[in-house]
Amino acid sequence: MWALLTPPEPLLHSGQPLFACKPRIWIVAKAALYALCLGSLGSDIYASGSDLADPVLHIVVVTMAIQWPLFVALRNAAYPLSECYCNLQEDSTTAHVPMHLMKIWWVAKQKRILPSSNLQDIGAGVLGRLLEEDDVVTELKVSDNGIGPEGAESLFSALLSNETLTQLYLDGNPIGPDGLKLLPFLAKGPDKMIGSCDGYRKCLELSRSLDAFAGSSPLQLLSLSRTQLGSKLHPLAQFLSRTPTLKKLYLNDNGIGEAGARVLAEGLRANESLDVLTMNKNQLHDGVLIILQALAMPHGDGQLSTLYVAENHINNGILEDMLQVLPSIPCLKKLNLARNPFSLHVLTEALTRGVVLPELRVTARDQSGKDAVQYMRDLGTMVEVD
């Protein structure tokens, strides 16, 4: 009976989808299974004195022989290749995995799915279709999968109806600013444009009709590091100004620059949910100051407690201006300033003047820097050295 029930198995090897394990693995597994079943039948025949003329035995043996070809034929008849197949793995037994079997795999993974193959836009499209009806998965990681703007659009579109996904990782995919055009739809709020779409006509058209949606996505974590966003972040700013749920946003290494920081600051000014923001390695320069000013009271409503702006060319002049703004951001508890070309003595002088600093992460390049770190610790500021 085990042999008769094996075709619907969702997982054959290392969590891969049905028909997606290597041929050698499949052959060995099926050969072992057949040997076990035939051995069991032979033992029963020997014990009971039956012979091969037994019709029940004939039915079992024939069914074992044709079960796999028959199942494949039925699958192909019900799910034509042109409708729902997606190339998921280049080294699979057959690179085409039907969507209904993909769903079996999805549910079997419980609350997390971690694709690591070259999904590209077509694979993201399949995941998007699954997300639309899924009520199990809470975390989706599709980092470094070659997903472009079209694939990102499929995923964000699926989140309009998905009510369970709370964490989405898109790191290392070249989605660009065009991939964010549906992002504002994931948040429900008053119809309000932030700036202009700077040539993104579709963004403007979509933003005008946001109120057509009855609710908002439960998304709490969005990771967009290394996704080639650049400075055209109007859809992201629009989303930030409206989302009631997002708590963590990762934007490392995107070439955002001062212009992008200015756009993002408008969204942060109205945001009341974000707790962690990482913007390391983005050539922000004065953009860091612009973001802090947007968070400062009484202009900002934010609850941001952790800000990472490492490796953003922050010099002594920018840091001195930042120190004037920091006391107006009472919620900010952690600030990562590592690998920026300022002198740590600027921070020690600020402490001497009575400026209260959040917990810091800095880079001590020489003994003078290490002495400054120790001095800040002596004055009660928590400092980590990069």
Side-chain angles (χ1 to χ4, degrees):
M1 290 304 295
W2 184 26
L4 299 179
L5 296 175
T6 50
E9 281 182 349
L11 306 176
L12 287 179
H13 173 66
S14 300
Q16 300 301 327
L18 191 61
F19 305 129
C21 65
K22 294 181 179 179
R24 183 174 58 184
I25 299 294
W26 181 86
I27 291 171
V28 171
K30 295 303 293 185
L33 179 60
Y34 285 157
L36 179 63
C37 291
L38 289 174
S40 177
L41 285 172
S43 176
D44 290 342
I45 292 172
Y46 179 79
S48 62
S50 301
D51 54 37
L52 292 179
D54 189 336
V56 175
L57 180 58
H58 275 229
I59 293 173
V60 171
V61 172
V62 171
T63 305
M64 286 175 58
I66 68 171
Q67 60 166 327
W68 200 264
L70 179 61
F71 182 74
V72 172
L74 291 174
R75 180 208 67 183
N76 290 340
Y79 300 91
L81 177 65
S82 60
E83 291 183 4
C84 57
Y85 279 64
C86 168
N87 185 354
L88 287 180
Q89 293 195 353
E90 296 178 354
D91 62 345
S92 59
T93 303
T94 166
H96 300 292
V97 180
M99 182 176 160
H100 70 296
L101 294 178
M102 184 76 175
K103 189 172 182 69
I104 296 175
W105 174 46
W106 181 285
V107 174
K109 301 297 280 188
Q110 298 300 318
K111 296 185 178 181
R112 176 177 296 188
I113 180 171
L114 306 174
S116 58
S117 56
N118 189 26
L119 293 179
Q120 300 187 5
D121 287 342
I122 187 172
V126 171
L127 292 180
R129 292 168 66 182
L130 296 176
L131 273 174
E132 289 178 359
E133 299 179 358
D134 181 79
D135 58 359
V136 176
V137 177
T138 60
E139 178 180 355
L140 176 62
K141 291 185 177 180
V142 286
S143 302
D144 300 302
N145 267 288
I147 298 173
E150 183 179 346
E153 181 178 348
S154 298
L155 293 175
F156 288 135
S157 177
L159 294 184
L160 294 173
S161 56
N162 182 282
E163 298 180 354
T164 58
L165 191 74
T166 59
Q167 300 184 38
L168 177 59
Y169 295 81
L170 287 167
D171 308 286
N173 292 296
I175 67 175
D178 285 342
L180 302 180
K181 63 184 180 181
L182 289 184
L183 191 57
F185 277 77
L186 302 184
K188 176 66 177 177
D191 194 8
K192 173 185 174 184
M193 279 300 298
I194 291 181
S196 67
C197 280
D198 194 18
Y200 288 87
R201 186 168 50 196
K202 290 184 178 180
C203 168
L204 181 59
E205 293 172 354
L206 294 175
S207 296
R208 286 173 176 167
S209 59
L210 287 175
D211 286 337
F213 296 92
S216 62
S217 166
L219 201 62
Q220 297 180 15
L221 183 152
L222 180 59
S223 189
L224 296 171
S225 297
R226 300 179 290 109
T227 51
Q228 303 177 16
L229 297 182
S231 61
K232 299 175 181 178
L233 299 176
H234 295 91
L236 179 57
Q238 185 74 23
F239 172 67
L240 285 174
S241 69
R242 307 164 65 97
T243 175
T245 60
L246 191 70
K247 297 184 181 301
K248 297 181 180 181
L249 177 62
Y250 304 140
L251 298 173
N252 300 322
D253 196 8
N254 271 301
I256 291 174
E258 183 178 339
R262 195 175 300 277
V263 175
L264 199 62
E266 292 300 314
L268 291 171
R269 195 184 306 275
N271 180 276
E272 298 181 3
S273 65
L274 197 65
D275 181 58
V276 177
L277 174 63
T278 70
M279 299 183 67
N280 299 331
K281 201 175 180 180
N282 270 298
Q283 299 86 47
L284 294 179
H285 302 278
D286 287 331
V288 177
L289 178 61
I290 294 171
I291 289 174
L292 290 178
Q293 290 172 339
L295 296 171
M297 298 178 63
H299 307 291
D301 301 321
Q303 302 297 315
L304 194 74
S305 68
T306 303
L307 177 63
Y308 280 61
V309 285
E311 203 167 344
N312 273 295
H313 307 290
I314 300 173
N315 56 32
N316 288 345
I318 297 174
L319 182 59
E320 289 176 353
D321 292 336
M322 290 170 56
L323 292 173
Q324 296 181 19
V325 179
L326 283 176
S328 301
I329 314 176
C331 293
L332 190 62
K333 304 301 181 185
K334 294 183 179 181
L335 181 61
N336 189 331
L337 296 170
R339 300 186 299 282
N340 281 295
F342 59 78
S343 171
L344 294 183
H345 293 288
V346 175
L347 295 174
T348 59
E349 291 174 3
L351 288 172
T352 304
R353 298 195 305 266
V355 177
V356 178
L357 297 179
E359 180 180 333
L360 297 172
R361 185 173 183 86
V362 297
T363 301
R365 297 180 177 83
D366 50 29
Q367 185 59 45
S368 175
K370 294 178 181 179
D371 293 341
V373 168
Q374 186 58 49
Y375 179 72
M376 285 187 281
R377 289 172 175 168
D378 292 340
L379 292 178
T381 298
M382 295 187 63
V383 184
E384 294 183 26
V385 180
D386 184 62

